[in-house]
Amino acid sequence: MATTQEPTTGAGDASDDDAQERRTAPARTEAQLAAIYQELILDHYRRPRNKGALDGADASVERRNPLCGDEIGLQLALDGDVVRDVRFTGRGCSISQASASMLTQALRGRTRAEAEALLARFTRLVHGDAEAARDASLGELRALQGVARFPARIRCATLAWSALEEALRATA
Ligand code: ZN
C-alpha cells in the first residue's frame, strides 16, 4: 500500500479517507467478484474447453466480429433432441473465446429447449439484466456479465451464441 502513497499536503486527508471507507465497504465484494470472474474468463481463454473441429456435426456455423477481429466456428451434433456434442474453433479476444468455451461446457447434454432457454438467459445477462445476473443456473457464464457495461464488447460475448442460434435453427 505504501507504494500508492503520494507526497501531497495532507490537508483534508482524514475526511477523504472516511468517505472513501464508507464508499468502498460494500463495493469491495463486487471488486472481488469481478476479479474471480476475470480469472475465470482468462482460464477459459488460456485453456479452452471443447476446442477443435467436430467430426459428423449436424450443423456448422461461422461467425465473425469485424469490430474486434473475433472469429468463431461452432459445430453442433444432436442425438435426437439432445446436444450430443458441441465444439468450437476460432481466435480472437479473451471475451469471445472464453464465451465460446463456456458455451460448449454449458450445452452438452442439454435438450434443444434447454439450449434455447439458456441462449435467451445469456443474452439478457450480457445486456445487463439484473435478474439474469442472479440466476445461478447460468453457472460460470455469469462471469461474462461485466460486458454489459462495455457495449462494444457485448458482440464479443454473444458471437458464439449467435452461431448457436443459427445452428439450432439449421437443425430444427
Ligand atoms: Zn472481441
Side-chain angles (χ1 to χ4, degrees), residues 65 68-70 92-96 153 155-157:
N65 173 21
C68 186
D70 307 318
C93 72
S94 59
I95 299 286
S96 68
R153 308 307 301 278
R155 179 68 179 156
C156 301

Side-chain angles (χ1 to χ4, degrees), residues 106-150:
L107 241 72
R108 281 183 162 186
R110 301 257 195 165
T111 65
R112 171 184 294 276
E114 286 169 342
E116 284 167 353
L118 192 62
L119 165 66
R121 276 204 301 278
F122 178 77
T123 303
R124 287 203 298 275
L125 175 80
V126 295
H127 283 89
D129 185 288
E131 193 191 330
R134 288 191 300 271
D135 186 351
S137 73
L138 281 168
E140 290 191 348
L141 291 166
R142 285 189 294 175
L144 291 160
Q145 65 182 264
V147 301
R149 294 196 302 275
F150 307 96

